[in-house]
Amino acid sequence: MPAVSRLRLLRWIVLTAVVAVLLAIGYSVFVSRVYKRPIPTVRAVIIDYRDAGLTAYDCGEATRYCFRWPLRLSSLEFLGYSHSRDAWAAVYADNAVSSKYTLSVIKPNRSTVIYSGDRSLYSSALCGDVLYVPAYAQGCLLLKCYTLDGKPIGRIRLDIDNVAARFTIAVAPSGLIAAGLVRRGASEGSHIYLFGNNGKLRRRLASGDNPRFGGDGRYLAYKEITTAEKHSVRYTGRITILDLKTKRERSICTARPECSCLTGHASSNMRGYQLSPDGHALICSYVQGWPVRTATQSIYVVDLSNDTPQWYKLPIQVLPGWVVLDKVPRSFVRDCDKN
């Protein structure tokens, strides 16, 4: 290659590199400004548990809060919070390597153990001031109901038999129950089933898992799965959001904006999701490091108020077990790290 041509190629390479750097800087500045502003229409509060206590981030205000909680628990996962009782419902392990799990109601001054059992306790649900705790035996699944004081107040047997000991549960304020269930001996994967508040089966929706209610039970989100050739069950990399009132469905790619949504992809490291209490947003978390089970996670909010979903990355990092609330608990202090 002549020297002149090589010089031109070198100049082109240098110019391309400079332009790429400038675009990256400009994008970073733009993104940092966008992420710091309040998210329109989304009124959700993300709660995270740390050794030093609890932290909260209000998406509408773009403001942080915290609460000094003198507890240290392993593998903690929140089921929710009762504003009327100022109490948290949570499942946790006795220690980092334990196979024993505990469901407790935790208040600022004391905690009450509701139930002890295996890992299926993570599929428990808190709705209003009632706890729904799954109990499985011989292909049957029922939900034991407790008050936040630990008093048993009934049980609901789901009207379906021959299910496997692998399930996920969600309960709406109306009492509607959504369950991700696998039939024993079936070659297909999990399906989403809807049950009434008496446990009677209403319908089977679609192939999916991990249901989540939002909007006071009007909206239901679940992770799509598909059964390919030779009965290979895999996730599609998408989440379906169903409006139970209008029957309208929306499919959201679980990949972050800079990633592609490919069938069979491991959800682009997406580890968890919840609908906002008003149903106007999908909140997703993505792994930031290794090991996956204990790594911090970034939070993205997908604003669903328009036909075209808008993605926002929050300026916070959370640990596994985070939860979404409708408002900041009254015991939290604004910007407490500065006080």
Side-chain angles (χ1 to χ4, degrees):
M1 180 183 295
V4 174
S5 298
R6 277 184 283 185
L7 181 59
R8 289 177 179 174
L9 178 60
L10 180 60
R11 288 177 178 175
W12 174 253
I13 293 174
V14 171
L15 179 60
T16 302
V18 171
V19 170
V21 170
L22 291 176
L23 288 175
I25 294 174
Y27 176 77
S28 298
V29 172
F30 168 76
V31 166
S32 65
R33 290 177 179 175
V34 170
Y35 291 170
K36 289 181 180 179
R37 72 183 183 186
I39 303 173
T41 76
V42 176
R43 301 295 302 178
V45 175
I46 292 89
I47 302 292
D48 179 35
Y49 167 70
R50 306 278 174 150
D51 287 342
L54 307 181
T55 62
Y57 182 82
D58 188 317
C59 295
E61 297 179 356
T63 305
R64 300 172 189 265
Y65 295 79
C66 74
F67 174 64
R68 302 301 183 188
W69 197 19
L71 294 175
R72 294 193 177 186
L73 304 172
S74 298
S75 303
L76 181 139
E77 184 166 325
F78 288 113
L79 303 180
Y81 172 77
S82 168
H83 291 286
S84 63
R85 306 292 296 276
D86 192 20
W88 298 89
V91 177
Y92 55 89
D94 286 356
N95 54 65
V97 296
S98 175
S99 59
K100 181 181 178 182
Y101 300 87
T102 301
L103 167 59
S104 290
V105 172
I106 305 171
K107 298 183 179 182
N109 56 349
R110 66 184 177 90
S111 63
T112 302
V113 174
I114 305 298
Y115 206 88
S116 295
D118 58 23
R119 192 173 180 82
S120 66
L121 284 181
Y122 283 115
S123 293
S124 303
L126 172 66
C127 188
D129 291 340
V130 178
L131 283 164
Y132 298 83
V133 183
Y136 173 85
Q138 299 179 346
C140 297
L141 182 62
L142 62 84
L143 302 179
K144 297 180 178 180
C145 304
Y146 296 87
T147 67
L148 293 180
D149 294 322
K151 178 183 177 181
I153 54 175
R155 54 181 58 194
I156 303 170
R157 186 187 184 280
L158 300 189
D159 183 25
I160 188 170
D161 297 318
N162 200 34
V163 298
R166 175 193 161 209
F167 44 82
T168 49
I169 302 293
V171 181
S174 64
L176 187 67
I177 300 167
L181 303 174
V182 178
R183 304 302 294 270
R184 291 195 298 184
S187 58
E188 57 188 10
S190 174
H191 280 74
I192 300 295
Y193 296 82
L194 286 181
F195 301 87
N197 56 9
N198 57 358
K200 293 296 183 181
L201 178 62
R202 292 193 175 182
R203 58 179 168 139
R204 188 177 84 163
L205 288 179
S207 297
D209 197 8
N210 200 27
R212 293 283 188 267
F213 280 111
D216 288 333
R218 174 173 174 172
Y219 302 96
L220 177 68
Y222 58 89
K223 186 184 297 184
E224 296 179 2
I225 62 174
T226 183
T227 304
E229 297 180 0
K230 298 182 181 180
H231 312 304
S232 175
V233 177
R234 56 185 178 180
Y235 292 104
T236 66
R238 293 185 176 274
I239 291 175
T240 292
I241 302 173
L242 172 63
D243 186 330
L244 295 173
K245 183 177 180 179
T246 65
K247 312 303 180 186
R248 180 193 179 194
E249 292 185 359
R250 302 183 69 173
S251 184
I252 304 297
C253 174
T254 60
R256 287 168 290 187
E258 64 270 23
C259 300
S260 62
C261 191
L262 300 175
T263 299
H265 194 270
S267 299
S268 300
N269 290 327
M270 194 272 293
R271 300 302 299 175
Y273 63 91
Q274 294 183 34
L275 281 172
S276 63
D278 58 11
H280 292 163
L282 181 72
I283 296 94
C284 312
S285 64
Y286 295 85
V287 176
Q288 292 296 293
W290 188 264
V292 171
R293 291 182 61 186
T294 57
T296 58
Q297 301 174 11
S298 60
I299 293 285
Y300 284 76
V301 174
V302 189
D303 186 358
L304 305 173
S305 58
N306 297 316
D307 291 337
T308 302
Q310 299 296 315
W311 286 72
Y312 299 84
K313 183 180 180 181
L314 299 186
I316 59 173
Q317 298 289 314
V318 300
L319 292 173
W322 56 275
V323 70
V324 176
L325 303 181
D326 57 341
K327 60 183 179 181
V328 178
R330 61 178 180 269
S331 54
F332 280 59
V333 178
R334 183 169 180 166
D335 293 328
C336 60
D337 292 334
K338 299 179 181 179
N339 297 334

